Amino acid sequence: MQVKDVLCAFQAVEKVFAVPNGFYWQTVETDEKYFPNSSDIEACRDIDTEVAMVLLFETLFQSPLATHHTLQLVLSSGLDICGLRLLCPQQDVLLSSSEKLPSSYTSKTGKVPPVLALGVRGPKARSALQNIIGPSDPQLASVTDCRSINAIYCRSQAEPLVYLPHLDSRVHRELCLWFGGRATDAALRAGVLDPASLGNNRASSRSPSSTRAEADEEKVDLQGMMLSRPPAMLVSTTKGDIILMVSPVVTPHAYGNVISVCTHRGFVLQGIRQLQLSPKQAVVLSLTTSQIAVFCPSKMSSSPDTSSARGELSAEPRVHCLILLLRKENASHHIPALVKGLMNELAKQGRLGNRQSNVPATAGLDPSMCFHVAPYTETLLQTLGGNLSAVPEPRNVPLDLFCNRTYASDPEMEQVVILTLVGVDAMKSAGELLHQIILPGHNNQFESAEEPDLGFELLGLKWLPHLTRCQAREITPFEVGDTSWQRSLDTLMSNPVLVCALRRINAFKVLADALKRLTQCREKLSESGSLLQTVMALTPEVTIRQAILFFTETDFVTDAEHRPAMKYLPPPGKRSRAEGKTRMPPKSPWNSQILEVLSNNPNTKEKNWYCEEWERARDAMQNHCLPTCKQERLWVSLVCFVTGAQILCTVLLIKPGAWSHSLARILRKLDLEKFSVVGMKHINLEPDIALGLLSSEVKQDPAVLEAHCTYLTSGTALVLCLQRPNAVKKLIDLLGPEDPKLAQALDPFLWRAQYGISTVQNGFYGSKSYQIAVRDMKLFFPEGLCCAECQTLEEEEIYNLKRDPIVSLEIHKQRKIIKRERGGQLNLLGSEQPCSLDRPLLDNLCQTTCLVLPGIILRGSEHPPYVELLDQLIGKDFTVTGVRLTVLDAPQAHCISETLSRAKCSVAAKCSLLMDGLCLVLAAQRDNAVICFDSLLDSVCWQKQSVLDTAQHLLYPQNEKQASRGVYGTDMCPLCPCDE
């Protein structure tokens, strides 16, 4: 008996070890390639990769439709099937795994049906598999997830379809139990043919004339068999790269969603770039003819439509694609599921709407028109421009690059900010974070008074496997002396980073608040050992220093359609009509942004400095001092950021009844907001002009339209042209919503909240966009504006006022004084109206005087002194009935000086003052305004020293005769007739 037992044991051992060596886990090498200059393969491991398993009972796996559906759901979830075994286990083994078995597996006959053990591998495989199977109760599954397996195929909770372990310990046990054995030698030979014998058979049947191609094909087949020969129960594959191309149909606002879907499916980002594809590149990429029309659209201006008629800009069609280099196990196998997942996510977010006129109408619904995916090859990557993580060489940056710069430091201006995401964990959440920043939704507290917040414009993206020491020193938020400085450098130099360039108004504050809101706690190396995940540039100076380290000219792509401030700024790409007035660089395809910056910069010194820098760069390129391409791109990418303040003009119309007694306060508010008044006049609106100022919403209701037109034409309005950086947007923000009640609820200090009464009498009209502002300036100031030469205005054919178009030496011979009949009255608008019983009658004591304020009063101090004078006069019961800002030439200045000067000896001095810049002409009305003006002015001057200094240069009539001539000379007579 003992000898027999030993022989049996020996036979068992021999039987087991006769099986060729195999593995519990085996990694299969595929033909997929990867980019060697990106992250190391080991560094790309996904810590979220899990292995899960499920037992399928016969009711499920014997149904071909149900089995196929289950496998399809596994694939669409981004999972790989790493193990598949059909087993006939004993009943006690099944009961040790699960107590809930179908009735067919618990019969007393002892015959147990087979089970199908399915192992899956992928990102968060266990939770993904649980979502596929669904709750064990079919009724609950049909409510919570009607697309799960249990909701569709399970009939009763007592008859389960699968056994799915949930706890980690149970998953490990089941994997060892069902996938821990090895196949026998007979099983192996039954399933796999001997490669040697197969090769001999083929050799005997092959004729001597066999081609080399057939031999290569046979070699590949033999290699595949050799790879499949070693037995293994669980199999994984090597990693490979794919290139995902996102067409211009998908807007940049959806790029965060695209990155998020890729990372959630286990793809690791290895490179990113925005690129304008050419048709030749598209052919190399194997794009079809219909795809080429979408991926390579022709760059042309969109046709004019109703938007241009309303004075709005129509954005040019997008022409850039987004290129992503992605890495994953068995990557090519997951391409169809990735495209499907991207389409589902974009459809869910509503990002497939096609607004371009040069692409097919169905392009947004066809996956091939939105995405094109190809396995990575070196040739393919070179077709797309080479290494996607290429950055400029730091040594090619001139030493004086940061000298004499004008940065966009004003928070009311458009600003560019650099956001850097660091670490593997940050890469996984980068898509969601970008989506929340670019499209903040309705919960953002930084909303404009006129319209909701539109988020950021995405200018550029750059992924790097790690930073160099030079780059890390610029990115780290810590100073050299901080204890965490060296640790931050180590973190930045050993982890992948994603650098994002974002643009919007007040970008630094909005992004800082958004990051604080989106992240529960800011990562601080000084307090914890966690990775530094989000770092943003804190100033414009830091932004430009970081930008030139990562981005070139081709990396920056503007998104006009989603640029929040686009409607408030001049259209890009304008060329100057007066190019010869300033020393400009010659035209070239790459210096258009330089010309745009110079055209909007009023500083002549800085213009010449830019030109000198450009000429220096051009000479360096001609002398081969620096590489032409890199120097060129460095310069242009720098100009993208060094835009400085863009001086613009807008139009403010103060409606009837809101300005006569509030003019001084309004002018003071404008000065506090750094507006310069470059045009001002009173005007009686014609019905057709008033109609053109109303919005399309107002025009839809005839009753509301009539109320607005009646009010706008009921009296005299005051129209001003205002100049400052970002003037259009700033004025809209100050005015607030058109409904004064809504403005009061948002901010009581909004102008319409302070001066408005109703939606009709809301006090103000302001140009709502740059194009509307240009239209309004041409409408109300056809004679020109009282400002220095501005190239932006010259491009719009709006020129400077050289002389007053009304003042004439012979004007007193052509007009006559109109006397007011007794019984008339003067309303707040300055016009004569019939007598009303509830208002006092005006008698013959009411007079109109003319005040001429030369340029020395309009400027020369921090706050214009004339505003204080005007405020004091209004406090003395003066009513302003007419205003004009003008420029006088020598004859006109001499005429007015001769008329209004007290002594002949002062005529030359007054004439010199009038010719020195602008003049503000006011018509003010009051009892005995002309006769008693000196005494009234003296009483005001005694109270305010600033008013006394201003009054020394004031010109006004001393008697009624001078007043009548002064009124004639400034065209006030038709509006404010004086008594004679």
Side-chain angles (χ1 to χ4, degrees), residues 67 77 109 148 221 284 457 597 632 736 739 791 823 849 895 974:
T67 304
S77 299
T109 60
S148 62
D221 293 339
V284 177
E457 175 193 6
V597 170
E632 184 175 294
D739 187 353
Q791 208 157 353
T849 187
C895 177

Side-chain angles (χ1 to χ4, degrees), residues 392 544 547-549 551-556 590 593 630-642:
I544 192 172
I548 63 174
L549 291 177
F551 296 104
T552 62
E553 179 239 353
T554 55
D555 293 324
F556 290 121
W590 61 272
Q593 294 177 346
K630 291 182 179 179
Q631 177 67 24
E632 184 175 294
R633 291 179 178 179
L634 279 172
W635 174 256
V636 178
S637 63
L638 170 65
V639 174
C640 290
F641 290 89
V642 190

Side-chain angles (χ1 to χ4, degrees), residues 527-580:
E527 297 181 0
S528 65
S530 61
L531 292 177
L532 193 65
Q533 293 190 353
T534 56
V535 183
M536 63 166 286
L538 299 179
T539 64
E541 293 84 354
V542 175
T543 294
I544 192 172
R545 291 178 65 92
Q546 295 180 3
I548 63 174
L549 291 177
F550 300 106
F551 296 104
T552 62
E553 179 239 353
T554 55
D555 293 324
F556 290 121
V557 180
T558 60
D559 182 17
E561 183 179 353
H562 297 99
R563 186 177 180 183
M566 183 66 186
K567 62 184 292 187
Y568 307 112
L569 300 173
K574 283 223 173 225
R575 294 296 182 270
S576 172
R577 302 177 186 272
E579 200 169 303

Side-chain angles (χ1 to χ4, degrees), residues 160 173 225 238 245 312 314 364 439 448 520 609 697 735 760 762 797 802 826:
R173 178 189 180 279
M225 290 184 178
T238 55
M245 286 162 278
E312 299 177 359
S314 54
L439 291 175
S448 166
Q520 296 180 354
W609 180 86
E697 292 79 6
L735 296 182
V760 176
N762 57 10
E797 299 182 355
K802 303 299 183 183
L826 189 69

Side-chain angles (χ1 to χ4, degrees), residues 433-461:
L433 183 63
L434 274 180
H435 175 69
Q436 293 293 331
I437 291 174
I438 295 175
L439 291 175
H442 302 290
N443 295 327
N444 197 327
Q445 58 182 335
F446 306 101
E447 293 190 355
S448 166
E450 181 69 15
E451 60 186 15
D453 186 274
L454 298 179
F456 283 84
E457 175 193 6
L458 182 62
L459 284 180
L461 292 168

Side-chain angles (χ1 to χ4, degrees), residues 651-659 662-663 665-667 669-670 693-694 708 711-712 717-720 722 731-732 734-740 749-768:
V651 172
L652 171 67
L653 186 139
I654 309 176
K655 297 182 179 181
W659 64 275
S662 304
L663 180 59
R665 284 194 296 164
I666 295 174
L667 292 176
K669 288 177 179 290
L670 291 173
L693 301 180
L694 302 177
H708 277 276
Y711 169 60
L712 290 175
L718 182 68
V719 59
L720 301 94
L722 307 175
L731 181 61
I732 291 297
L734 289 175
L735 296 182
E738 295 188 358
D739 187 353
F749 294 101
L750 294 174
W751 290 14
R752 287 190 175 119
Q754 295 180 356
Y755 297 96
I757 301 175
S758 63
T759 55
V760 176
Q761 299 183 23
N762 57 10
F764 302 94
Y765 159 84
S767 303
K768 294 184 178 180

Side-chain angles (χ1 to χ4, degrees), residues 220 259 334 442 509 540 676 679 689 742 761 973:
V220 172
I259 297 175
H334 291 279
H442 302 290
K509 184 179 185 304
S676 297
I689 297 179
L742 179 58
Q761 299 183 23
C973 180

Side-chain angles (χ1 to χ4, degrees), residues 659-661 663 826-831 846-849 870 873-883 922-927 929 976:
W659 64 275
S660 294
H661 293 288
L663 180 59
L826 189 69
N827 64 4
L828 294 178
L829 310 175
S831 58
C846 183
Q847 296 177 325
T848 301
T849 187
L870 185 60
L873 292 177
I874 293 177
K876 294 294 182 179
D877 297 330
F878 276 92
T879 300
V880 180
T881 57
V883 184
L922 298 173
Q925 196 170 63
R926 184 188 183 277
D927 291 345
C976 309

